């Protein structure tokens, strides 16, 4: 290997060794954490953001089980409409802090692999539009990340032009890689006025739950659709029996990223009020059979001493920690396999038994 080519130099950006990258990021994270995590939150709400009812109850208290960044998070449920939401909610500073190095930076490579392995899921999501519009001309995927959904959807709709929108840099990489015609970086409500009426289909797949104001996002989706255009939505189902059964170990709670989890009836009514007609509602078809496997994994990952990360105050892990983690994960392997098999076994009946962890809505803009 030659070091004459600057692209090959190991110290450059993402090509640096993981330990060096973690060490380089540590000072900034420690500075952010020096005054605690309270400054990352808005004030706690006393009313439901969906229906304004004051009848709230605490549904879940948890921590960041994926990145293990410091902080505590609470989800409240509205007794009147069933809307479930993070309360207090992260503010802009908090969102930046907790998203940093998840989809980009340190987390990019890991997640890129996860998402590119989800071709089967993406194909099913795309195919649900087929009976309602076999050949849309322009499709906008909102919250597209690195644009992997569009790559698969293009197999189902070969004549369709795909654009993607996301607030992270992944969308620009996706445009450069040719996965999208246009990679629009920013927030939908801000970009919507100049995209008005341009699209035949808008998809929001596991996107709305990440937004600070889902109703505003739906209104913006209507704005960028032409009359008669279709809006495809998939979100986690807070009414899922798995959510009750697995508690904080239910992956779709995904704290602290998921700010709003709306039951299907709420989303239907809001769409109808905005001038949409819901043409399809699916539960079992949107189920992703990973709940048990993910719960066991999250539990083991918390038990086993963790790998180094720049938000932990200490340095790289010592020898004991480096040996313990793989040993514990190895010991947990049979449990992981059993959970995975059970997930697959139960998947065909998840919709009928109330265990589906997500639902899908397809709505047509009628006015
Ligand atoms: Zn409510």
């Amino acid at each position: 290997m030659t070091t004459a080519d600057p692209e090959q130099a190991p110290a450059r950006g993402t090509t640096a060794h993981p330990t060096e990258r973690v060490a380089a990021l540590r000072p900034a994270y420690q500075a952010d954490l020096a005054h605690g995590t309270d400054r990352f939150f808005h004030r706690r709400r006393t009313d439901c953001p969906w229906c304004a009812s004051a009848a709230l109850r605490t549904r879940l208290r948890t921590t960041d089980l994926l990145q293990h960044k410091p902080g505590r998070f609470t989800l409240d449920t509205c007794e009147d409409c069933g809307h479930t939401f993070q309360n207090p909610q992260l503010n802009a500073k908090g969102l930046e802090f907790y998203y940093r190095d998840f989809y980009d930076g340190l987390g990019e490579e890991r997640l890129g692999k996860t998402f590119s392995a989800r071709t089967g899921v993406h194909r099913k999501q795309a195919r649900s539009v087929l009976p309602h519009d076999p050949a849309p001309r322009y499709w906008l995927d909102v919250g597209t990340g690195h644009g992997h959904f569009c790559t698969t959807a293009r197999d189902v709709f070969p004549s369709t032009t795909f654009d993607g929108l996301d607030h992270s840099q992944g969308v620009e990489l996706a445009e450069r890689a040719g996965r999208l015609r246009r990679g629009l970086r920013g927030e939908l409500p801000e970009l919507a006025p100049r995209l008005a009426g341009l699209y035949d289909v808008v998809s929001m797949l596991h996107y709305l739950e990440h937004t600070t104001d889902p109703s505003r996002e739906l209104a913006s989706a209507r704005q960028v659709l032409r009359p008669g255009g279709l809006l495809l939505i998939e979100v986690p189902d807070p009414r899922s029996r798995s959510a009750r059964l697995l508690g904080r170990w239910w992956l779709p709670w995904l704290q602290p990223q998921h700010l709003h989890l709306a039951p299907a009836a709420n989303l239907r009514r809001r769409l109808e009020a905005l001038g949409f007609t819901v043409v399809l509602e699916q539960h079992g078809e949107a189920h992703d059979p990973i709940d048990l496997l993910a719960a066991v994994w999250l539990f083991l990952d918390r038990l086993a001493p963790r790998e180094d990360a720049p938000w932990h105050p200490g340095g790289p892990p010592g020898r004991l920690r480096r040996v313990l983690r793989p040993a514990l994960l190895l010991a947990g392997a049979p449990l992981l396999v059993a959970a995975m098999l059970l997930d697959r076994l139960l998947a065909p009946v998840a919709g009928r038994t109330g265990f589906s962890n997500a639902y899908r809505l397809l709505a047509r803009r009628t006015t």
Side-chain angles (χ1 to χ4, degrees), residues 44-360:
R44 189 183 173 278
R45 294 184 69 113
T46 53
D47 62 340
C48 168
W50 197 269
C51 78
S53 162
L56 304 180
R57 72 175 163 85
T58 300
R59 171 127 195 211
L60 187 78
R61 289 181 207 279
T62 189
T63 54
D64 173 1
L65 295 174
L66 281 150
Q67 285 189 303
H68 307 287
K69 283 180 179 170
R72 301 193 70 79
F73 312 99
T74 303
L75 290 172
D76 282 351
T77 294
C78 171
E79 303 266 34
D80 285 324
C81 76
H83 187 71
T84 300
F85 62 104
Q86 190 185 69
N87 195 21
Q89 193 178 95
L90 288 174
N91 58 28
K93 259 193 211 125
L95 290 169
E96 190 283 321
F97 177 82
Y98 287 104
Y99 271 88
R100 200 189 308 160
D101 290 306
F102 194 92
Y103 296 97
D104 291 322
L106 277 185
E108 185 186 326
E109 199 184 322
R110 176 173 56 88
L111 277 169
K113 278 180 198 151
T114 311
F115 284 120
S116 53
R118 296 182 65 73
T119 309
V121 172
H122 292 157
R123 184 167 291 119
K124 279 188 208 158
Q125 290 165 335
R127 289 184 71 89
S128 65
V129 174
L130 211 48
H132 303 274
D133 186 348
R137 286 184 65 197
Y138 297 104
W139 184 314
L140 177 66
D141 185 40
V142 181
T144 199
H146 292 247
H148 293 295
F149 166 74
C150 296
T151 306
T152 305
R154 196 172 287 119
D155 295 341
V156 182
F157 298 98
S159 65
T160 303
T161 300
F162 288 90
D163 291 344
L165 189 153
D166 205 282
H167 63 82
S168 75
Q169 70 172 130
V171 75
E172 292 165 351
L173 302 174
E175 182 185 304
R176 261 177 269 150
R179 288 194 287 270
L180 303 169
R181 176 189 63 164
R182 290 171 73 197
L184 304 158
R185 190 167 179 185
E187 305 297 333
L188 179 65
E190 271 120 59
L191 297 173
R194 64 183 173 91
L195 303 173
L198 284 183
Y199 292 98
D200 303 296
V201 179
V202 170
S203 50
M204 292 178 156
L205 302 166
H206 294 271
Y207 164 75
L208 273 182
E209 63 273 28
H210 292 261
T211 66
T212 56
D213 187 349
S215 295
R216 191 165 168 237
E217 300 285 333
L218 296 177
S220 300
R222 183 185 173 277
Q223 188 178 11
V224 305
L225 279 170
R226 65 164 173 82
L230 293 164
L231 173 59
L232 175 66
I233 294 173
E234 200 173 288
V235 285
D237 188 350
R239 294 241 151 117
S240 170
R241 283 186 161 174
S242 298
R244 259 169 273 165
L245 196 74
L246 297 170
R248 67 184 300 228
W249 308 107
W250 190 55
L251 181 68
W253 290 130
L254 202 80
Q255 289 303 295
Q257 291 189 18
H258 287 178
L259 307 179
H260 292 279
L261 293 110
N266 285 11
L267 215 45
R268 282 185 79 112
R269 275 197 291 270
R270 190 59 47 94
L271 285 166
E272 282 157 12
L274 283 166
F276 285 95
T277 301
V278 176
V279 296
L280 179 76
E281 175 173 338
Q282 295 181 321
H283 289 259
E285 295 86 344
H287 175 63
D288 191 2
I290 52 155
D291 283 349
L292 294 172
L293 175 65
V296 173
W297 166 256
L298 291 176
F299 183 69
L300 288 173
D301 186 49
R302 199 176 138 76
L303 270 189
R306 289 163 219 145
E307 289 164 29
D308 195 20
W311 41 90
H312 298 144
R319 215 169 135 227
L320 184 67
R321 274 172 68 190
R322 286 206 308 271
V323 174
L324 261 181
R325 183 178 169 89
L328 242 157
L329 294 182
L330 192 67
L335 209 55
L336 287 164
V337 172
M340 187 177 70
L341 292 174
L342 209 54
D343 275 331
R344 289 195 188 168
L345 201 70
L346 297 173
V349 295
R352 269 172 285 149
T353 51
F355 279 96
S356 172
N357 55 13
Y359 65 89
R360 187 182 296 156

